[in-house]
């Protein structure tokens, strides 16, 4: 009696792996020109006339700090509240911005915008390179992201907060030595908490990177370490001239101040307006990001940190 031939593992159909698209070498002159063109587009997008009036308030605070040699903690500008407590969550930004105005006036503020925009782009691009990003299409994504942030590229605290936001992933993926990495993250948290209310994004990003590592046995120790670093970043946020008052402000806004009629009239606190974002690339980013994440998840698996 003849036996039915068994199907060996070698005869099983193998999954079709899509070919890797060709990429231009980083040392190729064409790639260098493409990088220069992309960064030139990002910087050019923020070179428009400044119209934000809040810059004078930040400059006034910076001038007072430069003249007094300390951070003023009382109200010095409005007579009805003169002498009352005055917590300024962006005092660090004002301290850094004032020398640009003192040395160059309006041109100094333009230099600030160029430097912070270029620094954010460089940190994002360097992080992407560390994660394996290659090819010219990635530069197009960088330009689109530059168009999105251009509306917040006035001489405002957000320009510095974006630097801290880009610096956290860069440190997580570029600094290999754990002790140096952790020290850099804590230092960023300290600077962030003293320059913008969005400081809590730093510990959140670190925690999001810690959770996937904690799930794997090989990287669990590093995941626990990063979780402790996130806690340290929260703790160091209390090191500011006003202590806990600045730390809890984001939650006070969510629970109390968002119903205040004065704050409700601030444009950046309004609900998302589609008509105001038709030409800045935000809609393309909101649609393209989830689609690319789905494509990546289908090919390589889900990435919880969306690197």
């Amino acid at each position: 009696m003849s036996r039915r031939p068994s199907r060996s593992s070698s005869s099983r159909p193998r999954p079709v792996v899509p070919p890797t698209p060709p990429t231009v070498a980083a040392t190729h002159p064409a790639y260098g020109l493409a990088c220069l063109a992309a960064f030139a587009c990002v910087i050019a997008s923020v070179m428009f006339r400044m119209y934000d009036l809040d810059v004078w308030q930040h400059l006034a605070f910076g001038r007072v700090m430069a003249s007094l040699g300390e951070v003023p903690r009382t109200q010095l500008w409005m007579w009805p509240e003169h002498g009352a407590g005055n917590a300024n969550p962006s005092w660090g930004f004002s301290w850094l911005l004032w020398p640009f105005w003192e040395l160059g006036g309006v041109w100094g503020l333009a230099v600030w915008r160029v430097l912070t925009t270029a620094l954010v782009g460089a940190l994002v691009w360097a992080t992407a390179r560390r994660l394996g990003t290659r090819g010219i299409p990635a530069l197009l994504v960088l330009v689109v992201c530059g168009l999105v942030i251009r509306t917040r590229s006035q001489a405002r605290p957000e320009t510095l907060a974006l630097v801290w936001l880009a610096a956290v992933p860069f440190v997580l993926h570029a600094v290999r030595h754990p002790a140096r990495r952790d020290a850099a993250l804590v230092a960023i948290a300290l600077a962030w908490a003293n320059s913008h209310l969005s400081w809590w994004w730093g510990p959140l990003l670190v925690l999001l990177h810690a959770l996937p590592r904690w799930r794997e046995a090989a990287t669990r120790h590093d995941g626990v370490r990063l979780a402790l670093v996130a806690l340290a970043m929260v703790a160091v946020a209390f090191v500011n001239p006003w202590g806990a008052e600045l730390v809890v402000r984001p939650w006070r806004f969510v629970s109390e101040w968002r119903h205040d009629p004065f704050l409700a009239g601030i444009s950046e606190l309004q609900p998302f307006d589609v008509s105001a974002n038709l030409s800045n690339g935000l809609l393309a980013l909101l649609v393209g990001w989830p689609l690319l994440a789905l494509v990546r998840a289908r090919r390589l698996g889900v990435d919880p940190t969306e690197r």
Side-chain angles (χ1 to χ4, degrees):
M1 183 175 63
S2 61
R3 294 183 179 180
R4 186 176 182 181
S6 59
R7 181 175 297 178
S8 62
S9 59
S10 60
S11 62
R12 294 176 182 174
R14 296 181 179 180
V16 178
V17 179
T20 303
T23 58
V24 181
T27 56
H28 197 283
Y31 187 77
L33 290 176
C35 289
L36 289 177
F39 275 88
C41 290
V42 172
I43 293 175
S45 68
V46 302
M47 296 303 294
F48 56 92
R49 185 174 182 178
M50 289 181 289
Y51 56 83
D52 189 87
L53 300 179
D54 290 346
V55 64
W56 303 115
Q57 177 185 354
H58 296 298
L59 290 175
F61 204 92
R63 176 177 54 83
V64 170
M65 282 189 291
S67 60
L68 296 179
E70 62 180 10
V71 182
R73 304 186 185 184
T74 59
Q75 179 60 254
L76 302 176
W77 295 272
M78 294 189 299
W79 173 249
E81 298 180 358
H82 190 274
N86 178 38
N88 185 353
S90 303
W91 74 270
F93 163 76
S94 299
W95 179 70
L96 290 174
L97 184 67
W98 170 250
F100 284 83
W101 170 263
E102 188 177 28
L103 294 174
V106 175
W107 284 105
L109 299 183
V111 171
W112 170 273
R113 298 170 72 187
V114 170
L115 287 179
T116 52
T117 302
L119 184 55
V120 170
L123 288 171
V124 170
W125 184 242
T127 304
R129 295 285 299 180
R130 286 281 181 174
L131 294 172
T133 299
R134 300 291 186 272
I136 302 298
L139 294 173
L140 177 61
V141 176
L142 181 66
V143 174
V144 172
C145 292
L147 291 175
V148 172
I149 67 172
R150 73 182 297 268
T151 56
R152 308 304 302 170
S153 64
Q154 304 286 315
R156 295 177 56 89
E158 293 93 317
T159 55
L160 188 55
L162 285 173
V163 174
W164 308 137
L165 182 63
V168 171
F170 173 77
V171 171
L172 284 169
H173 297 289
V175 181
R176 299 300 182 184
H177 194 280
R180 296 175 183 174
R181 177 199 63 187
D182 300 345
L185 291 173
V186 173
I188 292 172
L190 178 62
W192 199 340
N194 284 275
S195 54
H196 199 260
L197 286 174
S198 60
W199 65 268
W200 55 273
W201 274 100
L204 179 61
L205 286 174
V206 174
L207 189 61
L208 288 176
H209 282 77
L211 291 177
R213 303 185 188 189
W214 179 82
R215 293 170 56 185
E216 301 292 337
T219 57
R220 183 164 299 168
H221 180 268
D222 192 52
V224 174
R225 180 169 183 148
L226 281 179
L228 294 177
V229 171
L231 292 177
M233 294 172 72
V234 174
V236 79
F238 287 85
V239 183
N240 66 76
W242 293 274
E245 185 175 355
L246 290 190
V247 175
V248 301
R249 278 204 167 195
W251 288 272
R252 289 194 64 185
F253 172 78
V254 173
S255 61
E256 305 174 29
W257 296 341
R258 64 190 179 96
H259 303 293
D260 186 278
F262 176 77
L263 295 177
I266 300 178
S267 59
E268 56 263 34
L269 300 180
Q270 300 298 317
F272 178 70
D273 186 5
V274 176
S275 61
N277 295 277
L278 295 177
S279 60
N280 61 6
L282 181 58
L283 294 181
L285 185 63
L286 291 178
V287 175
W289 185 356
L291 291 178
L292 291 175
L294 290 175
V295 172
R296 186 194 186 282
R298 184 176 180 182
R299 295 182 57 185
L300 303 174
V302 178
D303 182 5
T305 59
E306 282 300 324
R307 294 178 292 181

